[in-house]
Amino acid sequence: MTWEECMEALGTSDIEESTKHKPDSPSYMERDFSPLKELLRRLGNPERSLRCIHVAGSNGKGSICISLQNILSLASYKTGLYISPHLERVNERFTIDGKEIEDEKLLTYAKRIHEELHFMENKPNDFDLLTALAFLYFNEEKVDFLILEVGLGGRLDSTNVIEDKLLAIIAHIGLEHTALLGKSLEKIAGEKAGIIAKNRPVVVLRQEKSVLEVIRKVAKEKEAKLILTDSRHLHSSPFFLENGYQYFSYRERNDYALSLLGDFQLDNAMVICDAVDCLKAQGYKISEEAVKLGLYSVEWKGRFEILSKNPLIVLDGAHNPQAVTALVRSIEMLFPGYKKRVFFSVMADKNYMEMLRILKNNSLSFTFFQVDDERGLNVSTLKSQWEKEYDGEIFIPESTEAGLDWNFEKLKNGDGNTLLLCLGSLYQVSGIRNYFKKVLA
């Protein structure tokens, strides 16, 4: 189902623009949960019956969520997952054991929510409505676990309407949405730490000291057990493209294979393993076979996804300097000696110049295009700014397909030691994947 079809079924066109509570507006930090809570009350408070694992972070939370779902499903638990954004269909946001919600069910739940909106004076925003739909769907499907990915921030995110949860997880924290969440890592960490529940454990990726101090303070205030990953117990093996997997050992687990590539996925693997151990400590039965197979078999579109080995084409949704730094580091580690051609799109509110500077080394060319979104950065503006710092080839195609055609031809006629790196926005992942499905078929 498309976004437009889903929004029409939810009846968002009936909501006056002035009454919407938009999570991306300047008033976000003053936002009111009352409309969402009233809607949930009208729906019978489905969220109160769910066993939730709540995941926040600037980078890595999606990989952690999908991996945990795979592990818990293999452990014979019926496991729901609610994520955002979707890449191709709204249905991707709502999955049980990896299977997307069917159009018919999605439409049914959307109409039930639409009916309740007629009786409400203050209307929830679009993400609130989708979150209410998720709670309704997963509750009626009687899932054993619901893994919730935070949409924006944490403390004021729609998913945080659930006050009690089995476990909170906080992945890597970087500077993002600074106009809304704050202009320092410490302020952003405070927003992320808002998902910590009273007397419930929280697993945290060990990171900058100032970030951890903020999280420690919140955990102490809420009497939550803090579990930190420990990279001293992490060991990884050399990667070979022909093999296609990264191998690692962590704490008591030895020679586990990761299907998700990039050294940042090793950080995520530590978080996942510690989260599994936390659930096991609460009495849930999760075999090591499920953990091992779950990490080995998980798939996550658009996250260091190798679309082709010959020529080498890598697709990643990295859209902030921290993610791009990790991506480039992984490229250099996994594919030493390769030069790269960069296919780049970005939103205007991102720190795009810093991202380009990180990408600059060993880059033969940059292709800029604007994603089909009102927030996308104008490519002429981008080119004029980047020309001041980069004297290599800059190409602005007439369309996404033309840009990919140009790069694909360059790769095929190259020396074999050049890769194409497509990144900058999750909104471009679907179009790029579809293009290469056709040309590589």
Side-chain angles (χ1 to χ4, degrees), residues 199-253:
N199 294 316
R200 294 294 191 180
V202 54
V203 174
V204 180
L205 175 67
R206 191 183 294 269
Q207 45 202 296
E208 290 195 30
K209 184 178 178 181
S210 60
V211 168
L212 291 180
E213 286 178 352
V214 172
I215 296 173
R216 285 183 191 276
K217 180 180 178 182
V218 176
K220 184 176 181 180
E221 290 171 352
K222 295 188 178 181
E223 299 177 314
K225 180 182 179 181
L226 178 64
I227 302 164
L228 291 175
T229 61
D230 192 342
S231 59
R232 293 174 300 176
H233 299 289
L234 175 70
H235 305 281
S236 60
S237 302
F239 171 80
F240 298 98
L241 182 59
E242 296 74 18
N243 183 298
Y245 294 90
Q246 294 185 114
Y247 287 85
F248 76 99
S249 298
Y250 180 60
R251 299 195 194 273
E252 303 302 318
R253 296 180 170 92

Side-chain angles (χ1 to χ4, degrees), residues 286-332:
I286 307 168
S287 69
E288 279 310 300
E289 182 181 359
V291 179
K292 186 171 252 186
L293 184 57
L295 293 171
Y296 175 84
S297 63
V298 67
E299 297 180 355
W300 194 219
K301 294 184 290 187
R303 278 71 169 187
F304 208 98
E305 183 178 6
I306 297 178
L307 299 178
S308 169
K309 294 181 180 179
N310 186 22
L312 184 54
I313 302 169
V314 179
L315 172 61
D316 194 278
H319 55 276
N320 58 48
Q322 295 78 25
V324 174
T325 297
L327 175 60
V328 169
R329 189 172 65 239
S330 295
I331 290 286
E332 293 173 347

